[in-house]
Amino acid sequence: MAAAERIVFLGPPGAGKGTQADRVAGVLGVVKLATGDILREAVRAGTPLGRKVEGYMKQGVLVPDDVILEVMAQAMEKAGWRFILDGFPRTVAQAEALDRMLSERGLALDGVVFLDVPDEEIVLRLSGRRVCPKCGRAYHLRYDPPKEDNRCDVCGVELVQRPDDREDVIRKRLEVYRAQTEPVLAYYENSGRSPLRVDGVGEVETVTRRILEALGVTVG
Ligand code: ADP
Ligand code: AMP
């Protein structure tokens, strides 16, 4: 691939999108834009946006498209339109809007990566996930523990469990994913941009290598 500056990561909640987007963004020299992290920060700071989205997030349902589009348009602009998108687009309407925003600027996506992970693994991953409330980095109690007990390797802040990583909300999020986000895969497929399907099961490093290979990126 000549350039890999605008990539979308798709996959069910807990597939490892955030974990991998951090690593791949570092290799490509672009910014990771994680919609969920942006919204959680707004909730934490108690901004008007945060107050608007908190209820949806707690229930594990999607925030309305118009709210998301405004937030992401600003974030992409700030990133200079070079990014890995993690958690956006999550509906076909969002995918169409993203295409419009890019084409208005003479830009296009360079790749869509789909991280494939089976449901039983998803539940194990999400129930053991702990996140840094400051930088958003995800850890796992067993699969990817922090160096110091329950503290972020980067910020030193105490890790927390996300309120939507409870089993009943996890089930709801998987349902929402099947109904509203899976059709985004077909949207890209049908518009000649078949998602690069990457097996998301295995060591974090191994999955990163698979993604870079799928994108045709050679690392020095
Ligand atoms: P997403 O952003 O897709 O919701 P995360 O990147 O937050 O997913 O990962 C979900 C959980 O799974 C986290 O606890 C993370 O540490 C863990 N995880 C990520 N990649 C792997 C992997 N390859 N093997 C095992 N656990 C993983
Ligand atoms: P995530 O961190 O990606 O698991 O997202 C957490 C929650 O934020 C989701 O369950 C939704 O409530 C909300 N959210 C994140 N991204 C989007 C999006 N693109 N569209 C609608 N809601 C979103």
Side-chain angles (χ1 to χ4, degrees), residues 45-91:
T47 64
L49 170 68
R51 288 198 294 277
K52 206 185 287 182
V53 301
E54 189 171 15
Y56 298 103
M57 295 178 79
K58 264 199 186 132
Q59 291 175 57
V61 299
L62 296 185
V63 170
D65 287 336
D66 58 335
V67 176
I68 295 293
L69 289 172
E70 197 184 327
V71 168
M72 292 313 284
Q74 271 179 28
M76 290 187 290
E77 179 72 39
K78 199 168 157 209
W81 299 92
R82 297 172 73 246
F83 43 64
I84 293 182
L85 297 176
D86 158 18
F88 173 81
R90 235 162 162 124
T91 62

Side-chain angles (χ1 to χ4, degrees), residues 3-51:
E5 301 195 320
R6 281 169 291 279
I7 312 283
V8 166
F9 275 21
L10 293 175
K17 299 181 298 297
T19 303
Q20 295 299 334
D22 273 335
R23 301 168 69 97
V24 175
V27 174
L28 300 179
V30 300
V31 188
K32 171 186 92 164
L33 296 179
T35 322
D37 287 351
I38 296 172
L39 300 178
R40 272 184 294 280
E41 178 50 34
V43 171
R44 200 167 70 103
T47 64
L49 170 68
R51 288 198 294 277

Side-chain angles (χ1 to χ4, degrees), residues 86-197:
D86 158 18
F88 173 81
R90 235 162 162 124
T91 62
V92 171
Q94 291 179 16
E96 288 169 345
L98 172 61
D99 278 344
R100 276 196 303 275
M101 286 189 264
L102 291 173
S103 69
E104 278 165 10
R105 291 166 178 82
L107 302 172
L109 290 176
D110 295 317
V112 179
V113 173
F114 169 62
L115 272 181
D116 200 1
V117 175
D119 280 6
E120 58 276 17
E121 173 77 11
I122 294 288
V123 176
L124 286 177
R125 286 189 184 184
L126 290 183
S127 48
R129 173 160 68 183
R130 295 295 181 273
V131 295
C132 172
K134 195 160 171 226
C135 73
R137 199 190 138 171
Y139 297 84
H140 192 280
L141 291 178
R142 278 192 24 221
Y143 303 144
D144 189 14
K147 292 194 185 86
E148 201 190 317
D149 194 34
N150 213 38
R151 294 208 166 262
C152 178
D153 292 353
V154 185
C155 310
V157 173
E158 192 157 349
L159 303 179
V160 297
Q161 182 166 31
R162 278 171 46 172
D164 59 349
D165 277 347
R166 290 202 337 252
E167 201 169 332
D168 53 332
V169 190
I170 292 174
R171 264 198 298 275
K172 179 71 198 169
R173 287 161 61 207
L174 279 171
E175 240 173 66
V176 166
Y177 171 75
R178 300 273 173 254
Q180 292 177 269
T181 307
E182 242 175 25
V184 175
L185 285 170
Y187 170 79
Y188 285 122
E189 194 98 42
N190 295 335
S191 54
R193 293 166 293 175
S194 291
L196 303 162
R197 184 177 293 261

Side-chain angles (χ1 to χ4, degrees), residues 189-219:
E189 194 98 42
N190 295 335
S191 54
R193 293 166 293 175
S194 291
L196 303 162
R197 184 177 293 261
V198 172
D199 179 4
V201 180
E203 297 282 326
V204 170
E205 296 268 335
T206 309
V207 178
T208 308
R209 210 175 46 232
R210 287 181 194 141
I211 295 172
L212 291 171
E213 263 172 35
L215 287 170
V217 175
T218 39
V219 190

